[in-house]
Amino acid sequence: MIRLDSISKQHGHQLLFIEASMALQKGEKVGLVGPNGAGKSTIFRMIAGTEQPDDGRVLVDAGMTIGYFSQDVGEMAGQSAVAAVMDGAGNVSALASEMATLEAAMADPEQADNTEALVSRYGEVQGRFAELDGYGLDSRAREVLAGLSFSEERMDGDVGLLSGGWKMRVALARILLMQPDGMLLDEPSNHLDLESLIWLEDFLKRYEGALLMTSHDREFMNRIVNKIVEIDGGELTTYSGNYDFYEQQRALSEKQRQAQFDRQQAMLAKEIAFIERFKARASHAAQVQSRVKKLDKIEKVEPPKRRQSVQFEFRKPPRSGDAVVTFENVHKAYGSHKIYDGLDFHLGRKERWCILGVNGAGKSTLLKLVAGALEPNLGTAPDKGTVKLGANVKLGYFAQHSMDLLDGDETVFESLDSSFPQAGQGPLRTLAGCFGFSGDDVEKPCRVLSGGEKARLVMAKMLFDPPNFLVLDEPTNHLDMATKEMLVAALAEFEGTMLFVSHDRHFLAKLSNRVLELTPEGTHQYGGGYTEYVARTGHEAPGLHPGGG
């Protein structure tokens, strides 16, 4: 169906692929993995035909339709979200447009002489439009948008007024409505809330075409893909199974490769020692010569390519009092939209609360109220009631806007150094390395950093001099799989208190020991973490009914 046949590709001085091959058949759901910059997006562009390999061939079956979702959504304005989604429906959309043109022409007195031809063409176009279920297009577009958490009001509003994250959802909805033969989805799980993510997961499980996708969401990838293609050192290697199975297989083959390498090294050392020892003796000349020839012919085993993984270790935070934050009779509304109506909530030392709730339920507002209790300019204040921080609470607050506060002219290292002038070069370089800034990366100016790099830098600054109370709003949004794993491992060892919002189920399950659920009927508190919450309620998110998760 889709085949990459011995492709080679170079970007500037960087060799991305060297005679690499892979195939994608109908019904296969494939996860594409590899470190940042390895060439995942290049593969998508080559299959979509917007980029060519330097060598080799990209073969796509004739007549096959391909839908490509990338993070670069382009300009959208002047139409409703529903209209923008329907525009992406390929043939159906073109037919609807032609029908509208023909209807206008048939009503135009100046076109009276062409009436017969216009009516005939209209009959053909209308027949094809009905065949493709064109009349159901509007309701299908709305169904997809609703799945991605759009309200009716937002569906019918100007798409140009939406934030970047909502425009991404519109671009994704276009591809899903199109139902192409092959879907290329580059990070579709970014910018989605938990309910949308679970809906998308279900949609893609039922999709019958060929799917190739990247995602930094481990759980999402695990539930959808049945094959993994890994980009590593210019090669494409295919593994059967989901992401967890791929990791096990990769670790196993790395272990086998290391053992093979060690055996060969021991054998080579033995042979070289013999040659060195007897090379000057005429009596052993034939044996020495024979061993030299043997060594020349041996195919050297390469050691396994090890992924660099640096672990971050928390310094011990100062101890806070037992009561960390207390909400008493808190009311909060935005205009006529009531968020809290008398919220009482107590958070104790070492508790790790995750907050769940549909869009607009007040998850981020809760975090802002906590931040506002310490620094009013950072957060927000209740309309009525109190939010009190306990004794000796040292707060670390990570929100999406934290990334906008970086000084664009400073380099990564200068940014760390200006925050911790007493720390010294060594510890700060180690810190930078833990958060993925190695070698020359520390010299990058902050203004050129990607969203993920900015998030890593802000996180590094927050965790170096550790607070005893972490308040995190979607901390994993821009992070790759390796950084997420490092962060989860580090936070699992954190000795303080946590309050966080996340749509990453792996993160939720590993780090929470309490759940605060925000619903229109009020708040519900659950002892035990996210995994226990799912077991008790029968759903993975508040907006889903039992059995729907």
Side-chain angles (χ1 to χ4, degrees), residues 335-366:
S336 61
H337 181 43
K338 205 178 275 183
I339 306 281
Y340 305 121
D341 192 10
L343 171 66
D344 292 312
F345 173 50
H346 171 85
L347 195 141
R349 190 172 74 86
K350 287 203 169 186
E351 291 177 353
R352 295 157 170 251
W353 288 84
C354 71
I355 307 169
L356 301 179
V358 297
N359 268 330
K363 299 187 295 292
S364 294
T365 300
L366 191 97

Side-chain angles (χ1 to χ4, degrees), residues 275-295:
I275 291 165
E276 287 300 314
R277 188 174 166 199
F278 295 113
K279 67 181 176 187
R281 295 192 195 175
S283 59
H284 286 74
Q287 279 173 290
V288 166
Q289 209 51 42
S290 151
R291 292 191 183 207
V292 168
K293 280 181 183 168
K294 179 181 155 190
L295 288 190

Side-chain angles (χ1 to χ4, degrees), residues 478-523:
H478 298 275
L479 302 183
D480 60 32
M481 204 92 83
T483 311
K484 271 190 196 181
E485 290 299 324
M486 181 278 290
L487 186 64
V488 167
L491 291 175
E493 299 298 314
F494 174 62
E495 291 184 22
T497 307
M498 283 172 66
L499 178 67
F500 61 92
V501 172
S502 175
H503 65 257
D504 187 302
R505 285 160 292 178
H506 182 63
F507 191 88
L508 290 169
K510 290 281 183 191
L511 297 174
S512 60
N513 60 21
R514 303 277 191 287
V515 175
L516 178 67
E517 183 187 54
L518 308 177
T519 72
E521 294 76 46
T523 60

